[in-house]
Amino acid sequence: MLPGLRNLITDVPGILVGNAQDAALKSGATVLTADKPFTASVHVMGGAPGTRETDLLAPDKSVARIDALVLSGGSAFGLDACSGVMDALHEADRGFPVGPVRVPLVPGAILFDLLNGGDKGWDQNPYRALGRAAFEAAAGEFELGTAGAGTGALTAMLKGGLGSASLVLDSGVTVGALVAANPLGAVTTPGERHFWAAPFEIGDEFGGIGPDTASGLGRSQQSRKVEAIQKLSGVPLPPEGANTTIAIVATDAALSKAQCQRLATAAHDGIGRAILPAHCPGDGDLVFAASTGARELEAPDAELGQLCHAAALCLSRAIARAVYLAWPEPGDLLPCWAEP
């Protein structure tokens, strides 16, 4: 298994991704769509998710395909990014047909970035416009790091961000991951140079420094993020109240909704390998899985296991790339990995 040409989720043929962000707001939205409706499901392992239209992705629900997936900052305000995407899809006459009308189906998930130093004193919710702009920007190439839904993301010790990675299996099937990393936990080991995901790095996609050789790792619960947010707000806050890692894994393998749900479930291993701690009560950790259905599998039950493994590997690498590629902006609460 090797990365695709771009090492992005858009290496999956037919998948497009767009970002929109506001530097003053320190927030943004990211939209994944495709050239035609696609199969999708979801699995939530965090204790505090913020979502829209995720119930219809359950395998027993009647809707077979959707039009787009949204990752957004803004906490519950950010769910309105889905409305902006719906507006654009409606104008394009795309959506689930119900008699003479079409209803765009746009599930989404949000992360909390309301206390990150950005200007949140808006008069009108900005996320509807950000969602639409992200959809209209959807393409094969898109920016990582301080972009889209990862614009205002923070990890325990460093700035978070938007990350992506891909793998092409020996069968020719492509798997990719897209993530906005804003976790309670740390993406780096103590000292902030080595990534927890280092054993899964391919080449130097996030610095090529390699694994931390120290022992006894993982016990520290220090969080610059909590300290900075509490200082900014001026009041004590629970340490688990401002987090979440939200992600999408995608493939061109033809999968059912049930198989997509299994893909999403297995991909959470990628979060657990790249972030410590993960899946905490105050995290809203969530993974969508999408299938364009372009490639029929010869032995779906047997091949699904390899797809699940590849999805978890891609997600670990995408999380590390999100932090590695983040860049500094005025008013940041935390440093970037690349800063001395």
Side-chain angles (χ1 to χ4, degrees):
M1 294 188 287
L2 293 173
L5 184 63
R6 303 182 180 102
N7 199 17
L8 298 172
I9 196 170
T10 49
D11 287 324
V12 177
I15 293 292
L16 303 171
V17 171
N19 289 327
Q21 56 277 325
D22 183 321
L25 185 68
K26 283 190 179 295
S27 190
T30 297
V31 175
L32 181 145
T33 188
D35 50 9
K36 60 182 180 180
F38 54 92
T39 303
S41 193
V42 65
H43 187 68
V44 181
M45 288 191 69
T51 61
R52 173 166 161 168
E53 293 276 43
T54 50
D55 283 355
L56 61 80
L57 299 180
D60 64 325
K61 300 302 184 290
S62 59
V63 171
R65 292 177 176 83
I66 63 170
D67 302 292
L69 291 166
V70 175
L71 307 179
S72 180
S75 189
F77 297 103
L79 293 174
D80 207 30
C82 299
S83 298
V85 177
M86 287 187 70
D87 290 343
L89 286 163
H90 176 67
E91 287 184 15
D93 196 30
R94 291 181 56 181
F96 182 74
V98 183
V101 300
R102 290 182 175 271
V103 181
L105 299 176
V106 185
I110 49 86
L111 55 81
F112 185 98
D113 59 4
L114 297 180
L115 295 172
N116 65 357
D119 180 6
K120 306 304 194 292
W122 61 73
D123 294 323
Q124 182 176 351
N125 187 329
Y127 288 96
R128 189 173 192 133
L130 285 168
R132 180 174 186 131
F135 176 81
E136 292 175 346
E141 297 283 353
F142 61 97
E143 199 160 31
L144 302 182
T146 306
T151 298
L154 305 171
T155 76
M157 303 301 286
L158 298 168
K159 279 190 73 172
L162 188 76
S164 191
S166 69
L167 284 171
V168 181
L169 282 59
D170 293 345
S171 64
V173 168
T174 302
V175 177
L178 175 69
V179 63
N182 182 62
L184 168 73
V187 176
T188 50
T189 65
E192 287 71 70
R193 298 309 296 164
H194 296 272
F195 289 93
W196 290 113
F200 313 108
E201 184 177 15
I202 299 175
D204 61 353
E205 61 187 346
F206 43 90
I209 293 175
D212 195 331
T213 58
S215 60
L217 298 172
R219 293 176 294 170
S220 173
Q221 296 281 328
Q222 182 186 1
S223 175
R224 290 194 190 115
K225 177 179 181 175
V226 171
E227 295 167 2
I229 288 176
Q230 289 184 342
K231 183 178 179 179
L232 178 69
S233 65
V235 297
L237 295 172
E240 295 192 352
N243 313 287
T244 285
T245 296
I246 47 178
I248 304 169
V249 294
T251 181
D252 54 349
L255 301 180
S256 65
K257 285 176 73 176
Q259 290 169 326
C260 281
Q261 188 177 67
R262 175 48 49 189
L263 189 70
T265 303
H268 273 280
D269 288 350
I271 295 177
R273 295 168 187 163
I275 300 170
L276 266 71
H279 304 134
C280 297
D283 277 315
D285 296 345
L286 169 152
V287 179
F288 293 106
S291 164
T292 65
R295 299 180 69 101
E296 293 291 338
L297 299 179
E298 294 183 7
D301 292 339
E303 294 178 68
L304 182 59
Q306 189 180 29
L307 291 173
C308 289
H309 176 51
L313 292 176
C314 286
L315 187 46
S316 286
R317 294 161 50 226
I319 290 167
R321 295 188 81 202
V323 173
Y324 173 69
L325 293 169
W327 62 84
E329 294 281 1
D332 283 350
L333 297 186
L334 298 182
C336 294
W337 182 90
E339 292 182 272

